Amino acid sequence: MIKKEMIAMLLAGGQGSRLGVLTSKLAKPAVAFGGKYKIIDFPLSNCINSGIDTVGVLTQYRPLRLNQHIGIGIPWDLDRNLGGVTVLPPYEKSTNSQWYTGTANAIYQNLEYIDYYNPEYVLILSGDHIYKMDYEVMLEFHKSMGADITLATYEVPMEEASRFGVVITDENNVIQEFEEKPKKPRSNKASMGIYIFKWSVLKEALQTLKDVPSCDFGKHVIPHCHEKGSKVVAYDFRGYWKDVGTLGSYWEANMELVDLVPEFNLYEEFWKIYTKSEIVPPQYIDQNGTVRESIIGEGTEVYGEVTHSVIGAGVTIGKGAVVRDSIIMNGTVIGEGAVVDKAIIAEDVQIGKNVELGVGEEAPNEKAPHIYSFGLVTIGENSVIPDCVKVGKNTAIFGPTEAEEYPDGILKSGASLIKVGDLA
Amino acid sequence: MRAIGVILAGGNSNRMGELSAKRAVAAMPVVGSYRAIDFSLSNMTNSRIQKVAVITQYNSRSLNEHLNSSKWWDFGRKQGGLYVFTPTITSTNSYWYQGTADALYQNINFLKDSHEPYVVVASGDGVYKLDYNKVLEEHIKRGADITVVCKTMDPNEDDISRFGIVKYNDDMQIVDFEEKPLVATTSTVSIGVYVIRRRQLIELLEACAKEGRTDFVRDIVIRYKNVKKIYAYMTDSYWRNIGTVDAYYRTNMDFLKKEIRDYFFRQHPDVYSRVDDLPPAKYNGGAVINNSLIASGCIVNGTVENSVLFKKVYVGNNCVIRNSIILNDVHIGDNSVIENCIVESRDTLRAGTVHTSEPGQIKVVVEKNFRYAL
């Protein structure tokens, strides 16, 4: 008989549209992070490190890169005879076919997957946070509290609490009330979007709420269970937890990794983060190369200068090039003499010779000021930047570009040059 | 597939000094991220050979650890896969492998139970890329009994008298083969890769065993060279054997040259290795790096010049590492100076340690200090 104590359902279907061109062709959980990782590596590694060997990954938005990355789960030891990782896309039914319309709806559409493993508990995760967490400890807490539902919560500064769903608890951490993005928050315990459910409780709720449009955990399922009298408790998580939902927070979280002793330490032996690495060789720093306050992935060759940056694997930094305060993902080539300041450059981009990125005064982005701000230059995967052009701040470039598209050889601060993808 | 593979990874090399004290040469870490055997294993898988035996005997713990999963070289197959054969006591034999032919003979059932018509025999201590199919095609075209892969070496680059020296005629047939001669008369050496028909190999091994002969080169290749059709296959691509301290040092340093790095790291096909899940290398404020290879998991605070840092090396503040090779997981305390050395893996050098030597006189450093766990 098949019986798993707890299985995890990892919600990885979201676009993460505030990451702009970075998620134009791939889902947010597949975005690179920290030189060699992808965002989804963190929850997946947490699962296997917590002893959870059965993980359903719910995909929807542009899943190709995610599928390629996960494969059969070898890097996380999730290639199992029984359990392991399973990618769960939306599927057609004889009537009422629909996409995943909400977080809880996605789980509802995969009831059979969960039932197959006959679990006692179900762990709901989202694929877009950077953190290390032992879900087994959370499960112990859940059991010791005799709870039906446990929410992981994180204490945020009171002034920021109004951006989150916060919970109000009694002295025993039992949740009394929920407030979704309150104007005047009465608590700073923010829900992290990590839940442990008794499977019987979750199943009942999903079946009852199956016709609710865009059925969501925070908005519908948890309040429903709470009203019905289920015991909902808060599990205080203390440790590093970072939402990387905006380009600014994504850039910041990467930059924190190069601190002398980073708060989020990838060098700990006892909680390794696993990822699919295709590139094995050591990196090479040339006679004329300098690297300082940076982390650099496998197989990268540095002939120029790299300071305070996060560089992926298989990158080439050309002779005389200068890279500062930037994130450069796998396979990108920075041309000779180029100057890169505060840029996020996705995979396999070609930056021409003597290009200057991040020049001039800041100006708000003309098309999407809420996305491209923080003074960053953001360049999507497989883009080509011609030789000798200049690019200002709060700019976005995506696709193969040519010199004619840079009037007077410059893309001014606040401008966008998006030639491919859904945003073109 | 037309061939199975056998990798002879048994050996110790006393010319590796202390470096081979704790591992077989095939398990020796090379070029930052690899072990020597990765090159032969990757060649096998890139030549689409699906069934490979690794035969090993001397201190194989480190090698076994490296081969604990065969998936990294894509040998996690239902058909075929990776086999590691160490000597075993049987009802008829309780000896260790007496030589390379004996090692093959003791595993003759592996050869008998396969159905592929050919066998590729390779050694586990060469650093090279080679498509064995090309050798096999030549072998079939010439109607050879044994094909020996050879390379013309530059005598300035390596001591060629430590190899098998080959003379061949205009038809590429081998007319003379001398193992480790006192004076080498040509500069063509066998690189230790052979192609032979499986049934032919079984026959030769059985004949050999009957006469109590044990060495593949001496008792088969050399002994039968006038009876069987033994041909040379010349390769002119990069090949190095790492079997001496000096050769080991030079091979690693070769990878500081761009054309060699490009050939191995950026041109098809790739060389594979076991994945260690180490974070990216980290360079802190005081790092000064010149012309060096740095593997993943390293943390560098000091100066590194013309050196190779293997995985997970820690270099403290104000250190100077010059013309040196630092093997896996070495911790070098602040203010240390290392010049022209090879530092053995998992070593801990206390702050202020100085190890220097002259160029060409590479010193092997083994301190075996206790490391206080953090």
Side-chain angles (χ1 to χ4, degrees), chain B residues 340-353:
Chain B
N340 300 309
C341 289
I342 299 174
V343 180
E344 176 60 300
S345 63
R346 293 180 225 298
D347 221 331
T348 303
L349 306 189
R350 304 251 187 271
T353 303

Side-chain angles (χ1 to χ4, degrees), chain A residues 40 44 57 59 65-76 85-87 276:
Chain A
I40 198 172
L44 277 180
V57 179
T59 60
R65 292 283 281 280
L66 213 43
N67 286 328
Q68 286 171 335
H69 184 66
I70 294 171
I72 60 167
I74 287 176
W76 306 272
V85 66
T86 308
V87 176
K276 179 180 161 90

Side-chain angles (χ1 to χ4, degrees), chain B residues 114-144:
Chain B
S114 299
H115 59 82
E116 290 83 349
Y118 295 96
V119 184
V120 175
V121 180
S123 69
D125 54 2
V127 173
Y128 66 115
K129 288 213 271 193
L130 179 63
D131 185 349
Y132 299 135
N133 284 321
K134 291 201 175 130
V135 186
L136 184 55
E137 271 162 37
E138 275 299 305
H139 179 85
I140 294 168
K141 210 169 82 190
R142 288 182 186 136

Side-chain angles (χ1 to χ4, degrees), chain B residues 118-173:
Chain B
Y118 295 96
V119 184
V120 175
V121 180
S123 69
D125 54 2
V127 173
Y128 66 115
K129 288 213 271 193
L130 179 63
D131 185 349
Y132 299 135
N133 284 321
K134 291 201 175 130
V135 186
L136 184 55
E137 271 162 37
E138 275 299 305
H139 179 85
I140 294 168
K141 210 169 82 190
R142 288 182 186 136
D145 289 311
I146 302 175
T147 297
V148 182
V149 181
C150 300
K151 180 177 166 67
T152 304
M153 297 289 284
D154 180 349
N156 299 318
E157 278 182 351
D158 208 334
D159 169 19
I160 57 176
S161 67
R162 67 192 184 94
F163 299 115
I165 304 297
V166 174
K167 267 189 202 150
Y168 52 89
N169 66 18
D170 294 343
D171 298 329
M172 302 303 288
Q173 192 163 358

